[in-house]
Amino acid sequence: MNDLQLLLCLVTGVALVVTAAQLRGASRRIHYRDRRGFWRGVSSIPVVAALGLLLAAVVLQGWVADGFLWLAAALAVLSGAASYWVDLDPQRVLAWRRARA
């Protein structure tokens, strides 16, 4: 593993930890009866984060080119940014879900 691969893996890992922490914190600020709707509204964010982690694991196994680590890091940072946006106001997820229903 060279330095660039290590850096991209660290960026991916830190972004995934931040994503999990922010979504968990945001869900705690919502009333307990609305948490199920909240998690349904943000379910795509952990899926994108898991996809980035899976892609990084596949690259580290040597199955695909190292260039895909950039994509894994980008997916993780994108999910981190989305979770930050949700963490600013968790109620907007519920309002968005109510507007769609």
Side-chain angles (χ1 to χ4, degrees):
M1 176 180 286
N2 61 26
D3 293 341
L4 181 62
Q5 290 175 335
L6 179 63
L7 177 69
L8 290 173
C9 288
L10 285 175
V11 167
T12 303
V14 168
L16 295 177
V17 169
V18 166
T19 298
Q22 286 182 338
L23 288 178
R24 184 172 182 248
S27 73
R28 287 181 172 217
R29 293 193 340 238
I30 292 180
H31 195 272
Y32 70 91
R33 72 169 179 259
D34 295 331
R35 287 186 186 161
R36 179 172 290 180
F38 172 80
W39 283 109
R40 286 182 185 151
V42 298
S43 63
S44 61
I45 296 173
V47 168
V48 169
L51 182 64
L53 182 65
L54 179 67
L55 189 58
V58 168
V59 168
L60 292 178
Q61 292 294 323
W63 294 344
V64 295
D66 291 342
F68 284 101
L69 273 176
W70 287 99
L71 180 61
L75 287 174
V77 169
L78 179 68
S79 65
S83 67
Y84 175 74
W85 183 78
V86 167
D87 192 39
L88 290 176
D89 184 16
Q91 294 294 330
R92 81 174 69 156
V93 174
L94 298 172
W96 179 73
R97 283 187 51 84
R98 287 183 195 120
R100 286 184 61 202

